[in-house]
Amino acid sequence: MFSNDRNIETIGQLAEAVKHYVGLQREYMKLDVIEKVVRLITVITLTVVLALLVILFLIYCSFAVAHALAPAVGMAAAFGIVALFYLVVLILFILFREKWIERPVVRFLASLLMEK
């Protein structure tokens, strides 16, 4: 009753369709992972380039500020004031690192990895 040729053929077609679907899903997952890795590498590269440019900008601005302050307080004190400013900025980054750095990075990575 259940084992006629038509049922066996239908089950065979269903098995082939499932195999094809699983293969397509595997290819889709590979492409999705590749896309996310490429986006992550792009963001990392852009971040490194921008960070280097900002560092160079800050170095030149620091020298300009120190030289501008030098006539009023002396060269050594001017560089000390600039260094003290960077120390305060460092302390602020350490105190607020979770709010300013960790949360945005986690949010970005979660949105990148969880998007479909």
Side-chain angles (χ1 to χ4, degrees):
M1 161 160 102
F2 287 111
S3 64
N4 63 26
D5 288 338
R6 185 174 165 192
N7 287 342
I8 292 173
E9 183 179 321
T10 305
I11 292 173
Q13 289 173 347
L14 179 63
E16 287 299 318
V18 168
K19 284 182 187 177
H20 183 68
Y21 175 77
V22 168
L24 290 176
Q25 283 298 105
R26 188 178 332 146
E27 289 298 316
Y28 173 74
M29 292 301 287
K30 285 180 189 177
L31 291 173
D32 191 44
V33 168
I34 289 171
E35 176 194 5
K36 289 178 181 180
V37 168
V38 166
R39 287 181 60 196
L40 190 60
I41 290 171
T42 303
V43 168
I44 289 171
T45 304
L46 285 174
T47 302
V48 168
V49 168
L50 287 175
L52 288 173
L53 291 174
V54 167
I55 289 170
L56 287 172
F57 173 77
L58 287 175
I59 288 172
Y60 281 107
C61 284
S62 298
F63 278 112
V65 169
H67 282 288
L69 288 175
V73 295
M75 188 64 77
F79 278 102
I81 291 170
V82 172
L84 184 63
F85 170 76
Y86 283 120
L87 180 64
V88 170
V89 170
L90 174 68
I91 290 170
L92 286 174
F93 266 99
I94 289 171
L95 291 176
F96 296 106
R97 71 181 174 271
E98 183 177 322
K99 183 178 180 181
W100 291 348
I101 298 171
E102 291 176 11
R103 285 185 195 161
V105 168
V106 168
R107 201 173 299 125
F108 168 74
L109 289 175
S111 70
L112 175 69
L113 297 175
M114 298 304 282
E115 91 179 6
K116 289 194 172 205

